DNA sequence: CGAGAAATTGAGTCTCTTCAAACCCCGTGG
DNA sequence: CCACGGGGTTTGAAGAGACTCAATTTCTCG
């Protein structure tokens, strides 16, 4: 099953015909190098972008020069529907690892929306869930730092697992650096790092080379107070 | 001009016919007392709510017991489109002052959306802008506390002015308490208050009874680094 | 093997929080 | 007409969490 369908069907029921229509709307994939922007801040894209492989993020450079990461984007995510509705985008999308992406022209999105209202609903829903996620990050959910970091790790794992990119037995294909993580959490690199060290000390996670291994899922989940409901998966992890 | 139209037409061009259709969809107004919930957390409303008078907020009670205010809602705002898309709402809407509200049943929203795609687009846009605002709050825009508080005051004024509820010459109908403001900023009451005292010391604002008077708009704007672009008004304040 | 990037660790500082107390405004009842 | 009470506001002081600066170690890849 195509990764985009894997994502969309988990959001909402869509028919075979609709599934085929979305897939045929995809342009030829293209490669993006780590560190490059997929969508530039302030631009008015003419198409939306679908992640096929790699990790990207929506981010903003603040006046202070700091980078704030709004959400991570994984394979299957439609990272730029925002520009379809808002015309001018107010943040950038950047590749955190080498990525493969495809596009759907805005006019095709419009045509699909008109022909298949159910699809449009699915798109809208995807967008709101994405907004909901970045929301929950920004708020920190009223959690203390240790919980927040644990929560972020839980979310990353569950989202990757949904699209078949991760399983507990294997280390996460966690291509983000500590700095990326810190920018997403809104914490300093140093403090993020010290917090992760403490999760490591509790034997909840460990680092194997570049990858991150979850040693004790239940423990991590309980420290984080993680409840995947806010991700609005149709078939949540048990 | 009806306050809802004043808001919507500033978001997007909509025809006379569409305007009339929206207005006729409104149910009879009802009153909500200060402190009462307009929409309960976790509920699945069957209608969206339009603010006609007063101040409300979308908020969440965090596990720590703290209240986090996501956005303020002023007259003209459609405060509950969220539930139209997401079914189950993940936050509450509460009245910060005595309010007058009206409703539009979800099925009417659906019918309007089908008949007038342009209206649906306007709704969608409204929703994304609202999300964008709460976003910008949560991030704090990378601003320091003094700037953040000033920025919040600027936003409140501009939004109220748009719907004819405020002007510089008169004190703001600022019905929120310091605690409300603190919950919206994500700061403690004490610190919020001290920050406002410092704005007062700079002769940018002053308090007259319950109301708040802006003494020096340009000064406030400049301290805040306020740029109303993120509100996506069609006719921004000069 | 070496260079550059990323991660780790230590120390000092400052912001924001919490706790606590006093104050002020305003409506109510004697 | 004034004392009382309660919600909201203001102020002080002490402590905790997070930040920055800076040095060191580890990893990765050519």
């Amino acid at each position: 099953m195509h990764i985009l369908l894997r994502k969309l069907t988990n959001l909402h029921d869509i028919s075979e015909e609709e599934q085929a229509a979305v897939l045929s709307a995809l342009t030829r994939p293209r490669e993006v190098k780590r560190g490059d922007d997929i969508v530039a801040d302030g631009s008015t894209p003419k198409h939306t972008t679908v992640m096929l492989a790699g990790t990207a993020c929506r981010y903003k450079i603040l006046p202070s020069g700091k980078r704030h990461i709004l959400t991570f984007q994984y394979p299957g995510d439609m990272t730029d529907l925002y520009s379809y509705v808002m015309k001018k985008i107010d943040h950038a999308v950047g590749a955190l690892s080498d990525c493969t992406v495809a596009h759907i022209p805005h006019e095709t999105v419009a045509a699909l929306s008109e022909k298949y209202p159910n699809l449009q609903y699915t798109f809208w829903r995807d967008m709101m869930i994405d907004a909901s996620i970045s929301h929950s990050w920004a708020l920190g959910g009223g959690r203390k730092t240790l919980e927040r970091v644990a929560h972020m790790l839980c979310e990353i794992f569950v989202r990757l697992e949904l699209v078949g990119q991760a399983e507990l037995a294997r280390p996460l294909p966690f291509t983000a650096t500590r700095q990326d993580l810190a920018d997403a959490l809104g914490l300093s690199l140093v403090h993020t790092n010290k917090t992760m060290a403490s999760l490591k000390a509790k034997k909840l996670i460990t680092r194997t080379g570049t990858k991150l291994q979850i040693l004790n899922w239940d423990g991590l989940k309980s420290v984080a107070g993680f409840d995947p409901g806010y991700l609005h998966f149709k078939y949540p992890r048990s």
Side-chain angles (χ1 to χ4, degrees), chain A:
Chain A
M1 193 185 215
H2 192 284
I3 196 139
L4 174 57
L5 295 182
R6 192 152 177 169
K7 173 81 189 305
L8 290 180
T9 55
N10 201 289
L11 280 178
H12 188 56
D13 284 315
I14 54 180
S15 70
E16 303 263 325
E17 183 184 347
E18 288 163 341
Q19 296 185 21
V22 177
L23 279 196
S24 69
L26 286 175
T27 61
R28 176 196 318 282
R30 78 183 170 94
E31 309 291 324
V32 181
K33 282 231 179 56
R34 168 188 156 139
D36 284 355
D37 272 356
I38 297 172
V39 182
D41 193 2
S43 64
T44 55
K46 295 286 176 290
H47 53 243
T48 159
T49 302
V50 176
M51 294 286 302
L52 297 178
T55 308
C57 68
R58 300 196 291 117
Y59 73 94
K60 242 177 205 186
I61 300 295
L62 303 174
S64 61
K66 283 208 170 80
R67 175 183 65 162
H68 196 113
I69 294 184
L70 305 168
T71 50
F72 290 134
Q73 308 277 199
Y74 299 121
D77 286 344
M78 301 186 69
T79 158
D80 201 17
L81 269 179
Y82 187 90
S83 68
Y84 173 62
V85 182
M86 299 305 282
K87 308 299 185 220
K88 185 167 169 181
I89 200 171
D90 64 359
H91 56 263
V93 179
L96 294 177
S97 72
D98 292 346
C99 293
T100 310
V101 303
H103 300 292
I104 304 180
H106 280 171
E107 50 193 33
T108 310
V109 175
L112 285 173
S113 296
E114 185 149 353
K115 186 160 181 197
Y116 306 106
N118 191 49
L119 260 189
Q120 180 181 36
Y121 177 84
T122 309
F123 293 156
W124 190 345
R125 221 175 125 77
D126 180 66
M127 197 155 143
M128 285 316 294
I129 290 171
D130 196 71
S132 172
I133 292 175
S134 58
H135 228 135
S136 118
W137 285 14
L139 299 186
R143 294 180 172 82
K144 299 197 205 308
T145 304
L146 185 73
E147 303 159 14
R148 278 179 69 184
V149 174
H151 195 270
M152 175 71 78
L153 295 178
C154 287
E155 179 191 310
I156 290 172
F157 169 70
V158 168
R159 284 179 63 194
L160 284 172
E161 189 194 33
L162 176 79
V163 287
Q165 303 278 307
E167 46 186 295
L168 278 181
R170 287 189 297 110
L172 284 183
F174 186 70
T175 47
T177 65
R178 292 285 198 273
Q179 183 69 63
D180 293 334
L181 205 54
D183 288 347
L185 288 160
L187 296 171
S188 73
L189 165 64
V190 171
H191 200 229
T192 303
N193 199 35
K194 283 175 179 164
T195 308
M196 289 197 67
S198 133
L199 284 175
K200 217 181 286 183
K202 289 187 198 306
K203 304 229 188 289
L204 297 172
I205 60 172
T206 188
R207 217 178 69 119
T208 53
T210 33
K211 314 256 185 196
L212 193 86
Q213 170 76 51
I214 295 178
L215 294 177
N216 178 351
W217 170 251
D218 287 332
L220 191 64
K221 210 171 109 177
S222 122
V223 165
F226 183 71
D227 171 3
Y230 73 104
L231 294 170
H232 297 269
F233 289 164
K234 219 173 66 188
Y235 309 113
R237 179 164 229 283
S238 60

